[in-house]
Amino acid sequence: MNPDLRKERASASFDPELLTHILDGTPERTRRRREIENLILNDPDFQHEDANFLDRTNRYELAVKKSADMVKKMRDFGIGDPEEIMWFKRMIFCAGVEPFSIHNSMFIPTVMNLGSTAQREKWLTASSGLQIIGTYAQTEMGHGSHLRGLETTATFDPQTQEFILNSPTVTSIKWWPGGLGKTSNHAIVLAQLYTKGQCCGLHAFIVPLREMGTHKPLPGITVGDIGPKFGFNEMDNGYLKMDRVRIPRENMLMKYAQVRPDGTYVKPLSNKLTYGTMVFVRSFLVGEAARALSKACTIAIRYSAVRHQSEIRPGAAEPQILDYQTQQYRLFPLLATAYAFQFVGAFMKETYHRINMDIGQGDLSELPELHALTAGIKAFTTWTSNAGIESCRMACGGHGYSHCSGLPNIYVNFTPSCTYEGENTVMMLQTARFLMKSYNHVQSGKLVGGMVAYLNDLPSQRIQPQQVAAWPAAGNLNNPPSLVEAYKLRAARLVETAARNLQAEVKHRKSKEEAWNLTSVDLVRASEAHCHYVVVKLFAEKLAQITDKPLHAVLSNLCLLYALHGISEKAGDFLQGGILTEAQVGQVNQHVKELLMALRPEAVALVDAFDFQDVMLSSVLGRHDGRVYENMFEWAKNSPLNKTEVHPSFYKHLKPLQSKL
């Protein structure tokens, strides 16, 4: 063990194991997760060469092998619980992506959520056993987040009782679905349904892509891989062009919407039910944002404790770079953010499952807020985590640029989450629509509930200048509930500002759509403020559940740092709204620096509590034992360029050149 890390761990005031239990949910879940992880660590079938030194074709093949081995092992070990399956997969694909991921995260959940009882019986057994490997084909070359603009058509033919799937234009070619290029033999295709000459909107259809046994594309199907990308080297993201492909009527998922044999269309209770899979994935991505940022913080903070650089006092020994206030200011707010997102991710997961159960019972009352919340929080957390991962990489200096740090892989594999399941700006505008509707409800004298209940108090939240000095008192800057109140006031003000600006644009004889576009910057700001309030609120509420005093103290400091750093970054909103005075913002900035000092001895223990095995970090810099430099040298020796002392290019190109000089 590196002596610096040993010292750091000894300085912590709390037991990291207790915090790990909180993050996992219970001590038993921690025990079981580790048990599953150790099954993989001790299995020689999962000891593979470093994928960083493989080309894309070999990375894809290795990932497919891992996926196939994973399915066999889960059967052998009797792992069937969804949570345990997720732990198993994360351990195997710790630094990469799984070609079967869309099959498990979108194809199967869509069949479960949108399929009738008969359809679930037909498709789930085969897909669970991987006779059917599916993907989810929604995005097209010319359309992504604008679902109403999708061009793929599914036209019902009552004579043959079939739907005819067609890609009528080049921009209608399905583009990007993971696993589509080479792995999948079926796809859930989102297409515009036409029956009796009428377009009934977007619906989901199960479309066979490849012949069972040979895996060759079926007639009318043109399918392949879209080529190299920024990351996701193991994933065969693909394209799909359909030329009047016929599928049985029963291949339309018909739990909610239906087409009867005579072509009559039966509407669903809500059009939003069609998008249930996207809502599920968005809620899942919040937890993944927390996980990715937590990994990056673990690597950067451990390395910052091991690395010594420059000097604070002339002539003194080089200090750990974690002793520099600038390094703390770079990393500790991100650490606080990672914890905030961990708790928000757990909340989103619980909320999704709770509301989904209500929907199954016919209660759709919370569906609009679920859509708005998952869209906004997905955008807020993925944007923040994406920027945070890159900040962690840069905080590691030059070595952060090397794949040995693990940070480039984390970054390129997480970055797409800012786009898939809804581009983030579009997601924020979806949340804004819900906020504007809620604001209009309040203006008309109705009450709203859930996370927008603060809008019920709008009149009392229009703070007058003479009231500023009365709130909050300086001492309240140490009080998470008071900071929640500050974020609530900020959200309420920005929602109201956006609503009034939107109303003003509408009054200028512009169309509602044009007015919306001309107010969209204000609307995104309002959504961002709403999401920021939700995160601060949930973090503060989590504190109330912590009974261990040392743990409560350190988490309170993290919560305060998250909230106060956010105020510092968005000081203009709090000043302009009369929520804080200039003097109070100065106190905020000073208190942030005090919190950096308070968290300095806790930092390594806080990242230890995330409980990432070294293999999951895939990082020389973030090793638990801190033995960075000797292992970095060993890692570099494995480069394929080092297989020969003299590379063949010397004889082919350099030696002839030198002989002529």
Side-chain angles (χ1 to χ4, degrees):
M1 181 68 66
N2 179 285
D4 288 319
L5 282 187
R6 184 182 292 113
K7 180 190 69 173
E8 294 292 336
R9 292 179 173 123
S11 71
S13 64
F14 67 99
D15 182 357
E17 185 75 1
L18 296 179
L19 186 46
T20 302
H21 296 163
I22 290 171
L23 294 175
D24 282 332
T26 65
E28 172 57 27
R29 283 162 63 85
T30 298
R31 184 202 64 76
R32 179 58 176 159
R33 174 180 56 77
R34 289 173 177 167
E35 183 178 48
I36 288 172
E37 290 173 357
N38 287 330
L39 286 175
I40 298 159
L41 277 176
N42 297 323
D43 192 327
D45 288 342
F46 292 117
Q47 310 306 311
H48 300 290
E49 58 189 309
D50 192 328
N52 286 303
F53 299 126
L54 300 178
D55 62 23
R56 182 166 178 249
T57 298
N58 287 321
R59 287 180 77 149
Y60 167 72
E61 184 174 354
L62 177 59
V64 172
K65 181 184 185 306
K66 283 183 176 181
S67 294
D69 289 345
M70 176 186 70
V71 172
K72 296 173 189 174
K73 296 289 183 178
M74 284 196 295
R75 289 171 181 166
D76 293 343
F77 295 141
I79 295 173
D81 177 79
E83 191 85 26
E84 295 187 355
I85 291 172
M86 184 59 65
W87 293 333
F88 203 91
K89 289 178 182 175
R90 283 172 175 167
M91 192 65 181
I92 292 172
F93 292 93
C94 44
V97 291
E98 178 203 355
F100 293 175
S101 61
I102 303 301
H103 172 77
N104 291 302
S105 67
M106 300 191 75
F107 184 87
I108 289 177
T110 302
V111 175
M112 291 178 67
N113 290 330
L114 298 184
S116 65
T117 301
Q119 288 174 321
R120 291 197 298 272
E121 290 175 355
K122 176 180 178 180
W123 296 105
L124 288 180
T125 300
S127 57
S128 298
L130 289 180
Q131 288 82 20
I132 286 175
I133 301 173
T135 186
Y136 187 87
Q138 174 177 293
T139 300
E140 296 174 358
M141 190 185 291
H143 289 89
S145 300
H146 181 55
L147 299 184
R148 290 192 300 274
L150 294 180
E151 300 175 78
T152 301
T153 60
T155 305
F156 184 61
D157 181 354
Q159 299 299 319
T160 62
Q161 293 292 292
E162 293 173 318
F163 286 101
I164 305 169
L165 274 292
N166 198 45
S167 306
T169 64
V170 66
T171 51
S172 70
I173 296 171
K174 295 296 182 181
W175 201 267
W176 281 112
L180 174 61
K182 294 295 175 184
T183 307
S184 300
N185 53 29
H186 284 70
I188 288 174
V189 173
L190 274 288
Q192 303 289 356
L193 166 63
Y194 283 84
T195 182
K196 292 188 173 182
Q198 298 293 316
C199 180
C200 302
L202 211 59
H203 291 75
F205 303 84
I206 297 180
V207 180
L209 304 177
R210 291 180 164 94
E211 187 178 59
M212 303 300 282
T214 69
H215 208 60
K216 292 181 179 179
L218 291 166
I221 297 289
T222 303
V223 63
D225 178 79
I226 65 170
K229 308 166 291 287
F230 188 47
F232 268 50
N233 290 310
E234 299 87 351
M235 180 67 83
D236 55 326
N237 296 84
Y239 58 78
L240 170 63
K241 185 178 186 301
M242 292 170 289
D243 183 11
R244 301 186 63 80
V245 174
R246 288 179 172 267
I247 60 173
R249 183 181 70 89
E250 293 77 13
N251 281 30
M252 173 183 163
L253 294 176
M254 295 196 192
K255 180 178 180 180
Y256 298 115
Q258 299 173 15
V259 172
R260 291 175 177 160
D262 66 352
T264 301
Y265 176 66
V266 181
K267 292 182 179 180
L269 292 173
S270 168
N271 289 332
K272 289 185 171 64
L273 292 170
T274 306
Y275 310 133
T277 303
M278 287 190 300
V279 174
F280 165 72
V281 176
R282 287 170 191 163
S283 65
F284 172 77
L285 284 175
V286 177
E288 290 303 291
R291 186 174 178 79
L293 183 57
S294 299
K295 281 186 174 183
C297 286
T298 300
I299 294 167
I301 286 174
R302 282 180 180 166
Y303 180 54
S304 296
V306 169
R307 183 186 179 196
H308 291 250
Q309 189 81 13
S310 301
E311 54 186 30
I312 294 177
R313 294 186 301 276
E318 288 188 310
Q320 298 161 278
I321 61 170
L322 202 55
D323 287 338
Y324 289 100
Q325 188 184 71
T326 50
Q327 190 77 344
Q328 295 167 15
Y329 189 77
R330 210 173 196 178
L331 294 176
F332 291 178
L334 292 175
L335 177 60
T337 302
Y339 270 94
F341 289 0
Q342 289 271 357
F343 300 138
V344 174
F347 170 83
M348 293 300 297
K349 178 182 172 184
E350 293 166 6
T351 300
Y352 170 81
H353 287 299
R354 176 179 60 79
I355 295 178
N356 205 43
M357 287 182 65
D358 292 342
I359 291 170
Q361 301 298 317
D363 180 3
L364 308 185
S365 60
E366 292 189 80
L367 184 58
E369 181 168 22
L370 177 64
H371 273 263
L373 195 59
T374 54
I377 295 293
K378 177 263 181 186
F380 183 80
T381 55
T382 55
W383 262 337
T384 304
S385 293
N386 194 56
I389 294 164
E390 174 66 355
S391 187
C392 286
R393 186 193 66 77
M394 290 190 288
C396 292
H399 292 324
Y401 190 68
S402 169
H403 273 293
C404 80
S405 72
L407 291 163
N409 276 329
I410 295 173
Y411 183 77
V412 298
N413 286 334
F414 182 74
T415 290
S417 64
C418 296
T419 307
Y420 56 59
E421 303 320 304
E423 191 279 327
N424 279 354
T425 300
V426 177
M427 294 297 93
M428 282 296 192
L429 289 170
Q430 285 190 14
T431 301
R433 289 193 185 278
F434 179 75
L435 293 174
M436 294 302 101
K437 288 179 182 178
S438 300
Y439 177 86
N440 291 334
H441 277 304
V442 170
Q443 292 300 102
S444 65
K446 300 175 184 176
L447 293 177
V448 293
M451 288 295 183
V452 293
Y454 61 85
L455 295 176
N456 295 324
D457 303 322
L458 273 172
S460 65
Q461 291 181 344
R462 299 187 189 119
I463 295 177
Q464 301 300 317
Q466 61 268 26
Q467 294 177 286
V468 170
W471 193 95
N476 282 345
L477 294 176
N478 290 312
N479 185 349
S482 293
L483 293 170
V484 173
E485 186 72 12
Y487 275 88
K488 181 170 77 172
L489 292 169
R490 173 187 174 233
R493 188 186 74 81
L494 289 179
V495 169
E496 187 162 46
T497 298
R500 288 181 171 180
N501 290 347
L502 180 61
Q503 291 166 359
E505 290 292 348
V506 171
K507 286 180 181 178
H508 289 156
R509 298 179 182 177
K510 297 184 175 75
S511 69
K512 288 183 179 180
E513 292 76 16
E514 187 179 359
W516 182 267
N517 181 49
L518 293 174
T519 321
S520 56
V521 171
D522 300 324
L523 292 164
V524 170
R525 285 186 67 202
S527 293
E528 187 272 341
H530 172 72
C531 294
H532 211 162
Y533 156 70
V534 169
V535 175
V536 173
K537 173 181 167 63
L538 292 175
F539 201 162
E541 288 177 352
K542 187 66 180 182
L543 289 178
Q545 303 170 21
I546 310 299
T547 56
D548 181 82
K549 288 185 178 179
L551 199 53
H552 188 276
V554 73
L555 285 176
S556 292
N557 282 339
L558 281 174
C559 182
L560 288 169
L561 179 59
Y562 177 75
L564 291 172
H565 183 263
I567 290 175
S568 179
E569 293 287 294
K570 301 289 185 180
D573 288 345
F574 292 91
L575 288 169
Q576 190 177 16
I579 298 167
L580 292 175
T581 65
E582 186 176 347
Q584 288 167 335
V585 170
Q587 293 168 7
V588 165
N589 294 333
Q590 179 59 33
H591 195 32
V592 165
K593 290 187 284 187
E594 293 168 358
L595 286 167
L596 298 179
M597 293 177 62
L599 288 167
R600 169 64 186 85
E602 319 284 5
V604 169
L606 282 167
V607 297
D608 283 352
F610 292 134
D611 203 30
F612 293 120
Q613 303 259 18
D614 279 352
V615 69
M616 299 184 80
L617 294 176
S618 298
S619 170
V620 174
L621 303 189
R623 290 173 60 97
H624 186 270
D625 64 10
R627 299 185 60 176
V628 170
Y629 299 114
E630 54 265 58
N631 283 286
M632 189 183 299
F633 188 37
E634 292 303 314
W635 184 89
K637 290 178 183 178
N638 292 322
S639 170
L641 287 176
N642 293 326
K643 287 183 177 179
T644 59
E645 287 292 335
V646 180
H647 194 268
S649 63
F650 171 77
Y651 300 104
K652 291 180 181 178
H653 307 295
L654 296 181
K655 189 174 181 179
L657 178 67
Q658 292 169 349
S659 66
K660 295 177 182 178
L661 297 177

